[in-house]
Amino acid sequence: MASHSDISGSAGSQRRGVKNPAAQATGTDKYSVLLPTYNERENLPLIVWLLVKSFEESGNNYEIIVIDDGSPDGTQEVAQQLEKIYGPDKILLRPRAKKLGLGTAYIHGMQHATGNFIIIMDADLSHHPKFIPEFIRKQKEGNFDIVSGTRYKGNGGVYGWDLKRKIIRAANFLTQILLRPGVSDLTGSFRLYRKEVLQKLMEKCVSKGYVFQMEMIVRARQLNFTIGEVPISFVDRVYGESKLGGNEIVSFLKGLLTLFATT
Amino acid sequence: MTKLGQWMSTLLALMLIWLCLVQDLLNLGYSQKVHDVLVPLPVYLLVTAGSYSLATLGLRLASFNDCEEAAQELFLQIQEAQADLASKGLKL
């Protein structure tokens, strides 16, 4: 099937997407990383440390927005310490009172973001910030609206799955057949968006949970936004517990079929 | 059109073509041998599609990249991070 995603570097097709001419000039781009957290007391300092390291090494301008949903384990207290260590211009704490869901966390985070690009990722160390400079480079290379990390192409991959990987691989295969999304990793959540593109997509997306990560890409294709891909390695849960269960599979299938029937 | 719509309309179109041919509505007048192939054709195609899907899935599973080095690198960096953060005053 024809692939619309760009993995080798050839330019994306012309599209009537949204442009941000001011940001094209080097040095004026700022990257806002949105980190929704829930009970990530141990992981948060580590992910922040890795982010700071990656951005300082690459020289890109950044900020990290921590959106904690009232974690009972003291995540916010740790976040406050990090704010003191790295400065409130780099670590922005924008917590919420209770667990309100990923989509609204992104909307909330974006309202406080001063960057012209938004990076979304998991805070549990499964996504490694070392890939962010590659996302940035890829974005500039093809002037993409979105750059998506893929675990299934190039030297992308996963560490730590056994039975799960078989299920996830089959699920990905199913999404490719049913939705023909033009990207190889539809359920991935390590992505770089132009801010205005993400805002537009958030308006249109209705799904909940991580099905909405799938919906974002599907809607993006509908709106003719260009999407580039970067292979990433995904290291499953170093600390903390995994969240894949029968419930997740059922809700994934429901979400997939809904997207199949409505987009 | 939705993806579901695309699938439905494509399947419908193919079904109609197949029916036309099997019932010989276009009066092409072909031999019994051709007819014998045409009738079970949808089932053959379904089985082929199913086998191809399983084969593709199997191939993708087998070639799934296992990132050992990434996990090890991360583990080392975690230790580095913890030491550095502690020196900067982080208390867990």
Side-chain angles (χ1 to χ4, degrees):
Chain A
M1 90 196 121
S3 171
H4 297 279
S5 76
D6 180 284
I7 195 136
S8 58
S10 55
S13 53
Q14 289 300 308
R15 81 293 184 268
R16 357 159 233 103
V18 188
K19 279 196 200 297
N20 190 347
Q24 300 290 336
T26 6
T28 62
D29 291 330
K30 186 172 180 184
Y31 300 89
S32 301
V33 180
L34 299 186
L35 278 184
T37 61
Y38 190 72
N39 285 346
E40 296 287 4
R41 190 167 185 273
E42 296 193 359
N43 290 329
L44 185 61
L46 302 172
I47 192 76
V48 166
W49 189 86
L50 289 169
L51 279 165
V52 170
K53 179 170 149 73
S54 165
F55 275 109
E56 285 184 353
E57 277 171 12
S58 66
N60 290 303
N61 197 4
Y62 73 101
E63 65 185 357
I64 301 169
I65 304 174
V66 181
I67 306 134
D68 185 60
D69 280 358
S71 298
D73 73 342
T75 304
Q76 285 193 35
E77 192 272 321
V78 169
Q80 281 158 6
Q81 288 191 52
L82 291 167
E83 185 192 32
K84 277 205 195 66
I85 293 175
Y86 292 110
D89 58 321
K90 291 293 181 229
I91 314 286
L92 278 63
L93 305 183
R94 299 290 179 264
R96 303 190 298 178
K98 57 186 179 122
K99 208 165 194 302
L100 289 170
L102 205 56
T104 50
Y106 289 151
I107 294 175
H108 182 77
M110 267 199 293
Q111 285 165 351
H112 302 285
T114 60
N116 55 330
F117 287 97
I118 309 274
I119 293 167
I120 64 166
M121 59 190 295
D122 291 349
D124 63 357
L125 299 174
S126 50
H127 295 147
H128 199 302
K130 70 178 179 184
F131 293 107
I132 292 180
E134 293 182 34
F135 280 34
I136 294 174
R137 195 182 21 225
K138 185 72 177 181
Q139 190 282 320
K140 290 193 159 80
E141 189 182 282
N143 196 24
F144 293 110
D145 297 310
I146 303 173
V147 176
S148 180
T150 173
R151 295 159 290 184
Y152 304 127
K153 252 191 169 175
N155 55 3
V158 171
Y159 172 84
W161 288 350
D162 324 297
L163 173 65
K164 251 172 68 177
R165 88 169 50 194
K166 298 181 173 71
I167 297 176
I168 304 271
R169 204 65 178 98
N172 171 259
F173 182 68
L174 202 58
T175 66
Q176 295 294 324
I177 292 188
L178 289 181
L179 298 178
R180 301 194 315 276
V183 301
S184 58
D185 190 347
L186 194 62
T187 54
S189 52
F190 193 4
R191 297 183 188 148
L192 166 73
Y193 293 83
R194 280 193 214 275
K195 188 172 174 188
E196 59 275 14
V197 169
L198 185 58
Q199 279 167 336
K200 192 100 198 276
L201 291 174
M202 299 292 323
E203 280 165 32
K204 296 219 150 220
C205 288
V206 295
S207 320
K208 298 264 182 296
Y210 64 88
V211 173
F212 116 103
Q213 301 287 5
M214 293 179 6
E215 194 189 351
M216 297 267 260
I217 295 288
V218 170
R219 300 268 173 226
R221 307 275 302 120
Q222 278 183 330
L223 293 167
N224 283 324
F225 289 130
T226 52
I227 307 177
E229 290 193 285
V230 166
I232 59 165
S233 54
F234 182 97
V235 177
D236 200 7
R237 286 293 188 164
V238 179
Y239 293 160
E241 295 136 30
S242 242
K243 287 183 195 128
L244 185 73
N247 261 342
E248 282 229 337
I249 297 177
V250 167
S251 67
F252 165 77
L253 285 174
K254 272 188 3 198
L256 177 60
L257 290 174
T258 309
L259 284 177
F260 179 60
T262 58
T263 60
Chain B
M1 196 191 284
T2 65
K3 290 287 181 295
L4 179 61
Q6 287 173 5
W7 274 74
M8 296 272 95
S9 37
T10 311
L11 282 174
L12 195 65
L14 288 174
M15 279 308 265
L16 287 175
I17 294 172
W18 177 77
L19 274 171
C20 267
L21 289 175
V22 167
Q23 301 294 336
D24 200 13
L25 296 175
L26 299 172
N27 281 322
L28 295 170
Y30 42 73
S31 66
Q32 183 62 26
K33 262 196 271 190
V34 177
H35 188 84
D36 281 346
V37 169
L38 272 179
V39 170
L41 195 61
V43 180
Y44 286 165
L45 288 177
L46 207 65
V47 172
T48 310
S51 314
Y52 176 76
S53 295
L54 281 174
T56 308
L57 187 59
L59 206 75
R60 288 184 183 180
L61 272 173
S63 61
F64 207 172
N65 223 350
D66 188 14
C67 308
E68 281 277 357
E69 337 75 49
Q72 276 156 10
E73 179 194 41
L74 181 62
F75 185 66
L76 289 172
Q77 283 179 329
I78 287 175
Q79 295 182 312
E80 196 188 332
Q82 284 169 331
D84 188 42
L85 285 167
S87 75
K88 288 193 163 85
L90 185 80
K91 290 179 182 39
L92 271 178

